[in-house]
Amino acid sequence: TGRPRFAVMRLDTMLQATITGTAAVVRGVRPDQWELATPCPDWDVRALTNHLLQVAAALELSGAGQAVPGELWSQDLVTGDWSGRFDGYAERAVTAWAGPPDSVSFGDTDLPGPLVLTMLASDLVIHGWDLARATGQDYRPGDGAAAMAEQFVAQTGEQGRQMGIFAEARPAGEDATPLDRALAGSGRDPRWSPIPVGGSR
């Protein structure tokens, strides 16, 4: 089929670690940070937080074998107890993916279950880092989660760049960690930091 092949990974060493690390960052976001810049040029902190909620919701749906509708990606989920909503999606996603489906209806396409899991979990890792950097938080996705994201970006990076999902890859540096390489491969600068007030980057 030409699609990347991914092994089914144990949730207790990959998805759980991914969700735990990202959930901590989501809970640490303050509403007064909504308009801060992020490493994603088109998204401020609020838009990025909303995207992470969408990804967590997609993980829950896909793990349960339900279709992930295209309309999900236009929904505003940052309302009410949005951090509690993320935790709920995340908890149910881990339970759902304990018995992964063979295939998932993702938008208008049927994709292999392991690919959907890896794609969405990698999105949580990379955007979890984005959100942490934008809001001044530490981020610890776990070694397994970082390695999974690195593998995903390495195998899909060129296709992602053609689709406009990833920017051009950047040098990761000789001492780069797996997370650094995943970030650089997706077009991010692993050393990105917010522009200080009155300063420039």
Side-chain angles (χ1 to χ4, degrees):
T1 63
R3 290 176 179 148
R5 302 178 67 88
F6 296 94
V8 176
M9 304 177 187
R10 291 188 59 86
L11 296 178
D12 58 355
T13 60
M14 190 274 290
L15 183 57
Q16 181 68 65
T18 303
I19 285 176
T20 298
T22 304
V25 174
V26 170
R27 285 193 296 270
V29 175
R30 304 188 312 271
D32 65 358
Q33 297 175 314
W34 280 154
E35 297 182 2
L36 294 180
T38 76
C40 306
D42 296 331
W43 287 345
D44 59 14
V45 164
R46 190 187 190 284
L48 181 55
T49 301
N50 189 58
H51 178 71
L52 284 167
L53 281 155
Q54 293 167 343
V55 173
L59 270 167
E60 179 189 352
L61 289 170
S62 57
Q66 299 180 38
V68 179
E71 304 82 60
L72 172 64
W73 308 107
S74 61
Q75 292 181 9
D76 183 4
L77 302 176
V78 186
T79 59
D81 182 14
W82 47 270
S83 62
R85 183 174 297 120
F86 183 94
D87 288 340
Y89 289 147
E91 181 179 350
R92 292 188 295 271
V94 171
T95 300
W97 277 103
D102 292 333
S103 66
V104 174
S105 178
F106 204 89
D108 297 326
T109 307
D110 287 336
L111 297 174
L115 172 59
V116 170
L117 171 60
T118 308
M119 176 177 66
L120 293 174
S122 296
D123 209 39
L124 283 184
V125 170
I126 292 172
H127 286 309
W129 177 87
D130 289 333
L131 189 61
R133 278 302 173 100
T135 56
Q137 299 185 64
D138 191 21
Y139 182 54
R140 301 180 184 278
D143 292 343
M148 174 266 310
E150 178 191 9
Q151 178 192 28
F152 179 78
V153 171
Q155 295 190 24
T156 65
E158 188 55 41
Q159 180 182 9
R161 282 183 281 277
Q162 292 174 2
M163 296 172 64
I165 297 172
F166 295 147
E168 287 301 314
R170 292 170 175 259
E174 294 182 1
D175 299 327
T177 65
L179 179 58
D180 290 339
R181 288 190 288 272
L183 296 169
S186 72
R188 289 160 170 78
D189 178 359
R191 293 163 294 280
W192 185 95
S193 62
I195 299 174
V197 176
S200 61
R201 187 168 59 236

